[in-house]
Amino acid sequence: MAGVGIPSVDGLIEKLKRLPGVGEKGARRFAFFILGQPKDWVEDLSRAIREARWSVRPCSVCGGLAEGDLCPICSDPARDREVICVVESQEDCVAMERHRIFNGRYHVLGGRYSPLDGEDIPSEALASLRDRVERGGVQEVILALAPSVEGELTALAVKEALDDLPVKVSRLSSGLPVGGSIGFADSATLKLALEGRRGM
Ligand SMILES: [Zn+2]
């Protein structure tokens, strides 16, 4: 058992260990870094964490990051309402936006279908996507899912959920880095995959 023998520091290390990609060693480094900072900075950091966590919630339409009821994309009248890009996570949505290659709207699934890992797409996410399409005006649903077996299964599950609705469903073309999420792709690759999307 690691730990430094000072309860408050050990408690901090335990908390930091939960961060993605941070193991015991990384958590200890962060903890010592924090201990070496001015108290003001530590106060600012904890305030920033609290503010972000408390004020952010999923957009009531697309499930993306929002501070009020709607995310900035859903409340932007300039965004194309006819095209919905389906992504696995809020992070993937941010990744797509960073490249500025898409002017439609999004739908965040908040999970993927992976029977082997016992994971499934939250049923509310599929229901609300169906709802958006049923309300009309949506011409195309583009599935921007990971180029992996799980991404493939997730795409099929979404396609199936929309099967009886009069909407075109397409997928990003191949060429994306295999295994990673779409967040790993560079702008040029993602743009090509979006332009070369194919119907399902
Ligand atoms: Zn939204």
Side-chain angles (χ1 to χ4, degrees):
M1 259 310 282
V4 298
I6 308 283
S8 62
V9 180
D10 285 339
L12 176 60
I13 293 173
E14 280 307 307
K15 294 277 183 296
L16 293 169
K17 260 165 65 178
R18 284 194 53 179
L19 295 171
V22 177
E24 177 82 40
K25 219 169 131 185
R28 219 178 308 145
R29 264 186 60 213
F30 282 156
F32 279 103
F33 175 80
I34 290 169
L35 292 175
Q37 297 308 301
K39 285 178 179 168
D40 282 358
W41 184 85
V42 177
E43 203 54 61
D44 286 350
L45 172 66
S46 33
R47 196 177 317 117
I49 293 174
R50 218 167 27 233
E51 270 176 26
R53 182 61 189 90
W54 257 248
S55 60
V56 168
R57 56 175 172 170
C59 169
S60 66
V61 173
C62 74
L65 284 179
E67 273 195 323
D69 185 39
L70 293 180
C71 72
I73 298 166
C74 286
S75 45
D76 181 353
R79 302 287 297 226
D80 188 353
R81 287 176 178 275
E82 295 188 345
V83 192
I84 293 178
C85 177
V86 172
V87 289
E88 190 184 310
S89 65
Q90 292 178 332
E91 251 178 293
D92 284 349
C93 179
V94 171
M96 283 286 289
E97 277 301 288
R98 213 174 38 228
H99 299 302
R100 298 173 191 281
I101 52 173
F102 178 68
N103 191 44
R105 294 168 187 232
Y106 292 92
H107 198 82
V108 177
L109 294 178
R112 58 181 192 169
Y113 179 47
S114 173
L116 278 179
D117 303 315
E119 294 171 30
D120 206 348
I121 307 166
S123 54
E124 320 84 69
L126 286 180
S128 60
L129 177 62
R130 267 191 71 90
D131 198 47
R132 288 178 76 183
V133 174
E134 276 174 337
R135 260 180 275 148
V138 179
Q139 303 290 323
E140 185 179 4
V141 171
I142 303 170
L143 308 180
L145 299 164
S148 61
V149 177
E150 293 77 19
E152 201 67 44
L153 291 171
T154 306
L156 289 171
V158 177
K159 161 85 178 145
E160 208 180 285
L162 300 174
D163 243 359
D164 56 327
L165 300 177
V167 69
K168 181 182 169 196
V169 180
S170 58
R171 278 210 70 175
L172 295 188
S173 69
S174 50
L176 292 169
V178 175
S181 78
I182 62 155
F184 286 109
D186 59 80
S187 287
T189 310
L190 208 51
K191 192 163 188 282
L192 276 177
L194 184 63
E195 281 166 357
R197 63 185 183 273
R198 47 195 162 77
M200 281 183 78

